[in-house]
Amino acid sequence: MDKFWNNNLEIKNELDEVIKIMEKRIKNSNRSIRNILLDMIRNSGKMLRPAFVILSGKFGEYDRKRILPLAAAVEMLHMATLVHDDIIDNALIRRSKPTIQAEYGKNYAVFIGDFLFSECFLLLSDNITIENLKKVSKVVSRICKGEIGQFESRYNIDITINDYLKRIAAKTAALFALSFYVGAYESNCGEKLAKILGSIGYNIGMAFQIIDDVLDYTGEENVVGKPLCNDIRQGVFTLPLIYSLEKNKDEKMIALLKKESYCEEDIKRIVEFVQENGGVDRSKMLAEKYTKKAFDKISMLKDSPPKQILIEVTSKLLYRNY
Amino acid sequence: MDKFWNNNLEIKNELDEVIKIMEKRIKNSNRSIRNILLDMIRNSGKMLRPAFVILSGKFGEYDRKRILPLAAAVEMLHMATLVHDDIIDNALIRRSKPTIQAEYGKNYAVFIGDFLFSECFLLLSDNITIENLKKVSKVVSRICKGEIGQFESRYNIDITINDYLKRIAAKTAALFALSFYVGAYESNCGEKLAKILGSIGYNIGMAFQIIDDVLDYTGEENVVGKPLCNDIRQGVFTLPLIYSLEKNKDEKMIALLKKESYCEEDIKRIVEFVQENGGVDRSKMLAEKYTKKAFDKISMLKDSPPKQILIEVTSKLLYRNY
C-alpha cells in the first residue's frame, strides 16, 4: 500500500484488511480478471475513500465486520470509475504503472470496470441498509453525469468557475461525502452526526480535486505517478486555467486553446500562461478555503482519537505533492 | 416498440408504461445523455426481459406499481450490457440503427452504459427486496464474466460445446431466469413457483441465444437488424461452428480459422462449411431441446391467462427470423 497511512497504523491495518476482502471477492473470477485486478489492488493508491469509511465509522459503534466490507465496496466502486475514466482519457499511466486500457486494451477495461461495479453492489447488498444503497446508486449516477459533462465541455473556453465546481462536486466530492456519511450512519452515529461528517467529506473532496488539478500543472511526474498536463492534453480545462482566463483574456492564448489539439510547445505556453496569471496560486487558495470549511465542521466534533486523525489527514491532503 | 407483442395487447400496454418509466428516469440527465438514450429507448427491441418480469408477475398478486419499475430496471440493465458489448464487438449497427459507440464514440458508450447501470440500481433499490437486489448484482457479475470469457476464447478452435453452453448461460440465460424469478417472487408467488418460472426463463434464454447465434449464420440482414456473421468476424465461435468442427476436423478449415482475421471470402467459406456439416441444423435441434424443457416446466403450471401467453411466446421465440 501507499506510504500515505504509514503514520496511522490503526487505519493502515484496517486498510490491509480491506485489501484482503477485495482479493477474496475476485478469487473466483476468470484467471485474467483475477490477475489484472490483483495487480491493481496491490498497487492501490492512498485508499482515501475506504479510509474515510473506516475513520467515520470510528465516530460511532465501530463494527469492523460490517464497516470493512463497506469500505471495500466503496474502493471497488472507485476502482471501477478509474478503469473507465482511463478509457475516456486515453490514459497510459496511473500510479506509475500502465493503465488497464493501455496494457490490455479498451475491451478489457470496459468489462473489468463493469465487473468491479457488480462486485461493489454485491458486497453492498450484504452489508448496507437499502437507503444507503440508494445513496450509493445516486452517487454513481452523479459521477457518470460529471464525467460526461467534463467530456462534453472539452475545449470550451467559456467554462465558468461554477461549471468547474459543479463538475468536481459530481465526479469527486460526492463519493468522498458518501464515504464519510455511510461509515458514520452504518455505525449508528445518527443522522445528524453522519451529515456533519458527510459535509466534511464533501469539503475535503473539493479541496482534494482542486489540488489534483493543480498538481497536473505543477507536480513532478515521478512523484505524482502519472504524466503531467494530462487534463489540458485531453482538452479538459481545470481551475488553474479557468482562473487565468478569467484574469487575462489574452487573444493569442484563446486562439491557441481553440485549436483543439496541442503540441508540446502549445502545452508549454499554456502552462506558462497559467503560472503568469496566478491560476495556480488562486486555485491553491480555493483549496485552502474548502479545507478551512472542513476544519470548521471538524471543530464541531467532540475530541476523540478519530477526530485527531481526521485533522492530520485533512491538512496532509492539502499540502501533498502527489 | 417492436411488433413482437402486437398480438398480446395486455403485455404491450404494460411495456409502453415501462418505456415511460425509463424516459422519466433519464429526463434529468445531461441533454446529450437524454437524447442518446431517448433514441435508444424508442428503438427498443422485443423488450423480452421486462415482458418476462411482467408476465411472471401475473402468476402472483400482480401490482403494476411495483412490477413495472422492476421491469424498467431490468431493461436498463440489459441496455447497459448492450451498449458496452457493442464497444467490445466494435458493432456498428444494432436494431437497424448505428450503435452508440459507432455514432458517438467509445467514450460516450462507456459512460452511457455506466449511467444505465446506476439508474438500474437506483430504480431497484426503491422497488425490490435486498435479497433480490443481491441476485441482480450476481447476474451482472456473471454477465461480465461470460463476456470476458467469450472475449478471451476468441479464435480458440478447441472450444467445446460445454464451454459454449456455460458462456451463453452466463451472458444471456441468467438474466432471462432472473427476470422470471424476480417478477414472480416480488408478486408473492412464493419461492417454489418463482423457482419454476426462473427455470423456464433459463431454458427460454438458452434457446433464445442459440437461435440468435444461428440467425447470425442464416438470417436476412434487413430482418435481423444487424450485419450477419458478426460473431465469426470478431473471432467468436458459436454453436453452429463448434458442432461443425466436432463433426469434421477439416485441416484446411482449421488452418483458415487459425488465421485470426478473415476476409469476405474466408467468411463465405466458413458459412458454407457450417452449412455442409449440419452445424445450423444441430444447433436448431438443441434450441428445440431447451424449448421443450421450458414447455415441460410450463406444463407444471396451472392453466391461466399468463400461462397461455407464455406458451405462445416460447414457441414464437423458437421459430422467429429476427
Side-chain angles (χ1 to χ4, degrees), chain A residues 104-250:
Chain A
Y104 304 94
K106 292 193 191 234
N107 293 353
Y108 267 100
V110 171
F111 281 126
I112 293 277
D114 291 352
F115 177 76
L116 284 166
F117 274 128
S118 65
E119 286 296 319
C120 157
F121 278 100
L122 208 46
L123 252 176
L124 288 176
S125 47
D126 261 342
N127 295 285
I128 207 173
T129 50
I130 198 113
E131 302 81 47
N132 278 336
L133 195 105
K134 209 174 144 178
K135 288 202 169 74
V136 176
S137 307
K138 269 195 188 152
V139 167
V140 178
S141 177
R142 278 193 78 184
I143 294 175
C144 293
K145 288 179 195 167
E147 291 287 351
I148 294 180
Q150 171 172 309
F151 184 71
E152 292 194 323
S153 59
R154 283 170 317 148
Y155 303 109
N156 176 6
I157 58 154
D158 297 321
I159 184 174
T160 66
I161 292 159
N162 205 27
D163 294 333
Y164 168 83
L165 294 177
K166 261 195 212 164
R167 185 215 291 167
I168 67 168
K171 74 167 206 169
T172 305
L175 188 53
F176 275 65
L178 182 81
S179 303
F180 272 92
Y181 179 89
V182 161
Y185 189 96
E186 300 283 339
S187 302
N188 303 318
C189 279
E191 181 76 17
K192 198 182 153 197
L193 178 53
K195 279 195 173 164
I196 295 174
L197 284 160
S199 160
I200 292 168
Y202 170 82
N203 285 295
I204 293 178
M206 293 298 281
F208 176 84
Q209 186 59 56
I210 294 172
I211 294 294
D212 232 44
D213 293 342
V214 165
L215 286 172
D216 196 43
Y217 277 95
T218 66
E220 289 175 54
E221 197 153 306
N222 60 336
V223 181
V224 176
K226 54 187 176 185
L228 296 183
C229 302
N230 196 43
D231 289 327
I232 193 70
R233 272 179 233 279
Q234 304 297 325
V236 175
F237 298 174
T238 58
L239 193 59
L241 180 58
I242 300 170
Y243 269 143
S244 305
L245 285 172
E246 197 192 47
K247 187 179 166 202
N248 181 357
K249 299 215 182 309
D250 182 278

Side-chain angles (χ1 to χ4, degrees), chain B residues 79-263:
Chain B
M79 283 165 67
T81 63
L82 290 186
V83 173
H84 281 179
D85 282 358
D86 285 341
I87 300 177
I88 312 304
D89 298 344
N90 232 330
L92 304 176
I93 302 283
R94 178 181 288 279
R95 297 173 184 160
S96 306
K97 288 212 168 185
T99 59
I100 291 180
Q101 71 104 7
E103 193 159 358
Y104 305 94
K106 291 193 192 237
N107 293 353
Y108 267 99
V110 171
F111 282 126
I112 293 276
D114 291 353
F115 176 76
L116 285 166
F117 273 128
S118 64
E119 286 296 318
C120 156
F121 278 99
L122 208 44
L123 253 175
L124 286 176
S125 46
D126 261 341
N127 295 284
I128 206 173
T129 51
I130 198 114
E131 303 80 48
N132 278 336
L133 196 109
K134 206 172 146 180
K135 288 202 168 74
V136 176
S137 306
K138 270 196 186 151
V139 167
V140 179
S141 177
R142 276 193 78 185
I143 293 174
C144 293
K145 288 179 195 168
E147 291 287 351
I148 294 180
Q150 172 172 310
F151 184 71
E152 293 195 320
S153 58
R154 283 171 317 148
Y155 303 110
N156 176 6
I157 58 155
D158 297 322
I159 185 176
T160 65
I161 292 159
N162 205 26
D163 294 333
Y164 169 83
L165 294 177
K166 263 195 211 163
R167 185 217 290 168
I168 67 168
K171 75 168 204 169
T172 306
L175 187 54
F176 275 63
L178 182 81
S179 303
F180 272 93
Y181 179 89
V182 162
Y185 189 95
E186 301 283 337
S187 302
N188 304 319
C189 277
E191 181 75 20
K192 198 181 153 196
L193 179 52
K195 279 196 171 163
I196 294 174
L197 284 160
S199 158
I200 292 169
Y202 170 82
N203 286 294
I204 292 178
M206 293 297 281
F208 177 84
Q209 187 58 55
I210 294 171
I211 294 294
D212 233 43
D213 294 341
V214 165
L215 286 172
D216 196 43
Y217 277 95
T218 65
E220 289 175 55
E221 199 154 304
N222 60 336
V223 181
V224 176
K226 53 187 176 186
L228 296 183
C229 303
N230 197 41
D231 289 327
I232 194 70
R233 272 179 235 276
Q234 304 297 325
V236 175
F237 297 175
T238 58
L239 193 59
L241 180 57
I242 299 170
Y243 269 144
S244 303
L245 285 171
E246 196 194 49
K247 189 181 163 196
N248 183 355
K249 301 215 180 308
D250 183 277
E251 280 178 25
K252 274 187 189 163
M253 181 48 57
I254 288 172
L256 188 158
L257 290 171
K258 281 185 173 167
K259 274 179 24 181
E260 303 210 351
S261 165
Y262 313 128
C263 65

Side-chain angles (χ1 to χ4, degrees), chain B residues 309-322:
Chain B
I309 300 177
L310 187 50
I311 290 172
E312 284 164 29
V313 171
T314 306
S315 144
K316 196 170 170 183
L317 282 176
L318 182 65
Y319 298 111
R320 68 200 163 97
N321 61 352
Y322 76 107

